[in-house]
Amino acid sequence: MAHNIQFTTETPSDVRPDLQEKFQIGTVPLHVHLGDDEYYDGEITQQFIYDTYKEKKILPSTSAVSVGEYQEFFQKYLDEGKEIIHVAMSSGISSTYNNACIAVKDMGAEDKIHVFDSLALSQTTAIPLYKGIEMAEDGASCAEICDAIEKMIPKLDSSFMITSLEFLYHGGRCSTLQALGANLLRLKPLINMDGGSMSVGKKYRGKLPDVYLEYIDDRFEGMDGTYDTEFACVSHVLVEDEYIDAAVNHLKKKYNFEKVIVNECSCVITAHGGKGAFGVFFLKK
């Protein structure tokens, strides 16, 4: 790999810890708030958030990485002589991207730090990192990788299936009517990232293992040969292992993915998605 290139992102990109270490991907944490307590994303677990809600009825909230935190984060890599490629979660759902851009401008480092708005969330944001790292390992320059990422972002498919809208509603991500209707009818809505913002799509009914597979089939309907089969990414919040295994097998056998990268959602994603949230992310050709 080109040792002068540093790939970075935020914790809600849900890069699996072993891949962070293997590829030396830098991640900066957002903040999670539970009542009067504040944590860095990664200090607590999904289960801790869910248990706090069940026991104390405290719903989580989140806040972005500040400009100052970004400056401190980026500076350590600049001090090592690195050129930085940073892929941020969608500017339509967080101020992280804008704060990163402000930090870079204030540092006067526009020629050394390249910030991209993924228009996506969770592991969708990680896909350009994985692809960029492959290019770096093959000897591509920073400029070539940046050009490829810019072209890649509109081709990212980003969505989640939510089994309860309570957390999402509390975070201001959906209307009262949508939350009330879905919860009363036991619906499990699809949340699409359209142009970087969330919208509610199809609403599913039924048992979770069946609904997860139906959601996957819907994502790939009519897409034969129009997506990259190198890997898909699956992120989830406290979904049973057997359901995840079934989804992975489905993606490999029916949709011919060579690899499926599975990871638990960060606490920031958990704070909005709630237990049972499940997403499949991939790159269209």
Side-chain angles (χ1 to χ4, degrees), residues 4 78 81-85 104 108-114 142:
N4 65 320
L78 294 180
K82 301 289 184 68
E83 192 163 0
I84 300 167
I85 296 176
V104 172
E110 293 95 329
D111 60 332
K112 290 293 184 181
I113 306 174
H114 314 280
C142 190

Side-chain angles (χ1 to χ4, degrees), residues 32-35 49 53 58-62 167 170-171 267 270-272:
V32 179
H33 308 268
L34 287 168
I49 289 175
Y53 166 65
I58 296 175
L59 283 163
S61 61
T62 62
F167 279 26
H170 177 72
C267 289
T270 299
H272 298 289

Side-chain angles (χ1 to χ4, degrees), residues 117-217:
D117 182 352
S118 70
L119 302 177
L121 79 172
S122 190
Q123 283 195 82
T124 326
T125 304
I127 291 174
L129 295 173
Y130 300 147
K131 290 292 188 178
I133 288 165
E134 288 179 354
M135 292 182 66
E137 289 176 336
D138 290 337
S141 69
C142 190
E144 289 171 329
I145 296 169
C146 288
D147 182 62
I149 289 176
E150 188 171 357
K151 294 175 181 175
M152 200 181 304
I153 286 172
K155 300 177 182 178
L156 295 171
D157 192 278
S158 185
S159 67
F160 256 100
M161 201 195 76
I162 305 294
T163 62
S164 170
L165 290 186
E166 190 159 16
F167 279 26
L168 200 64
Y169 168 63
H170 177 72
R173 306 295 184 186
C174 67
S175 73
T176 303
L177 181 61
Q178 288 168 334
L180 182 61
N183 286 333
L184 284 179
L185 297 175
R186 297 183 181 275
L187 299 178
K188 304 166 182 68
L190 168 69
I191 308 297
N192 276 310
M193 293 295 295
D194 296 323
S197 299
M198 290 183 177
S199 66
V200 179
K202 180 176 178 178
K203 299 180 179 69
Y204 295 90
R205 292 183 175 89
K207 296 181 179 179
L208 281 179
D210 298 328
V211 168
Y212 289 144
L213 297 185
E214 183 183 353
Y215 153 70
I216 292 173
D217 287 339

Side-chain angles (χ1 to χ4, degrees), residues 230-263:
E230 181 184 5
F231 61 83
C233 298
V234 171
S235 295
H236 68 95
V237 179
L238 299 172
V239 175
E240 287 84 347
D241 289 344
E242 61 184 291
Y243 300 167
I244 296 297
D245 291 343
V248 169
N249 289 333
H250 197 62
L251 286 163
K252 287 182 176 180
K253 292 179 179 179
K254 187 169 183 177
Y255 298 105
N256 303 312
F257 283 101
E258 299 170 27
K259 298 176 288 185
V260 179
I261 301 173
V262 177
N263 194 23

Side-chain angles (χ1 to χ4, degrees), residues 10 30 63-65 89-98 173 196:
E10 303 107 12
L30 276 74
S63 57
V65 182
M89 64 189 297
S90 175
S91 61
I93 58 175
S94 174
S95 61
T96 52
Y97 169 75
N98 289 329
R173 306 295 184 186

